[in-house]
Structures are given as C-alpha cells and as structure tokens.
Amino acid sequence: MKLNKKTIEDIYRHALETYPEECCGIVTGNEQNQTVHFCRNIQNRLHAEDPEGHPRDARTAYAIDRREMEKIIALAAKNRGKIIAFYHSHADLDAYFSEIDKEAQTVFGEPEFPDALQLVISVKDGEIKDLKGFKWDRQKKSFVPVAL
C-alpha cells in the first residue's frame, strides 16, 4: 500500500502541531482515497491518573483511546476501506520502532492489524527530520523496516 502525498503532508502537519508531545493517529481507506484520523494522545491523562502504571507522559509516549479507535475502524468498514497505517511521532528522537511500540501494537504477541503499516515520524526542534515505516513479519514475529 502506498501512501499518497496528501496523507504524508497531513501526518507531518499533525506531528508539528503536537510537538513537543508525541502525536498519534490512524490512516484508513485505500490506495486512491486515504483519510488521516488525528487521534488524541491520552498519555498525559493516563500518567496523571496512574503515574506508577504509566510512568511516561506525552513527550515520550502515546496512547489512543480504544473507543476513539473503534469508531475509526467502524467508519472505515462502513466506507469499505481498511486500516492502512497507524502512526506516531518521536519528539526530539530518531524515527525507530521501539520495543514499547511493538508492545503497544500487539496482543499476545500478534498485532490486531497485521497488514497495517506502522509509521514513526521524527520531529526535532520543531522540524520533521524523518519518516520510517515498519510492517509485521509473520515469520520473525516482529516489525521490520519497509521502504515508503
């Protein structure tokens, strides 16, 4: 699945708007028609409610509200689209898929959406520095880099 130029521009805009906190979102649709859903990063709320259980805030972590995600998934299905990608930014860090990112995208060692791209945007000093994509490799049971 190729991302179109507008999709990438929208993701970049979201990452810049939320900097210095991490952004997060979902891309739905198909190769011709793609929609970028800017999700609210609820990590600050989780951290405030349970600092021990959620030691990181939105500068170094992200969380999408499950109800918000389910609405986006339902809307994509209604419009005969699919989940193309999940994305999040790293503030003042490189674009890489961490072990914590892998844990966030898997349940019992498998991703809920194994065909969806995982996009990580690096934003440093308020500027986009990099975008990298990762895809689930069923044999390796891990996310591996892919060309975008």
Side-chain angles (χ1 to χ4, degrees), residues 62-82:
Y62 77 95
I64 298 173
D65 183 278
R66 185 66 195 193
R67 289 175 303 227
E68 182 179 15
M69 188 168 101
E70 287 172 356
K71 286 179 186 176
I72 292 167
I73 293 166
L75 181 62
K78 179 181 172 191
N79 294 329
R80 297 183 185 183
K82 64 180 187 174

Side-chain angles (χ1 to χ4, degrees), residues 97-146:
F97 202 74
S98 70
E99 199 57 38
I100 292 171
D101 294 333
K102 180 181 176 181
E103 288 172 18
Q105 291 299 325
T106 56
V107 179
F108 302 115
E110 296 282 333
E112 186 175 357
F113 297 93
D115 296 325
L117 282 170
Q118 301 292 328
L119 305 171
V120 183
I121 308 97
S122 170
V123 184
K124 294 183 179 179
D125 297 320
E127 293 182 21
I128 301 294
K129 295 297 180 183
D130 200 4
L131 169 67
K132 290 191 177 168
F134 303 86
K135 193 89 165 138
W136 181 250
D137 184 310
R138 286 175 170 88
Q139 278 137 0
K140 292 182 180 179
K141 299 276 188 205
S142 189
F143 290 92
V144 297
V146 293

Side-chain angles (χ1 to χ4, degrees), residues 45-64:
R45 187 190 84 207
L46 296 173
H47 176 70
E49 291 171 354
D50 180 11
E52 266 186 52
H54 300 278
R56 299 185 322 151
D57 65 15
R59 270 197 51 80
T60 60
Y62 77 95
I64 298 173

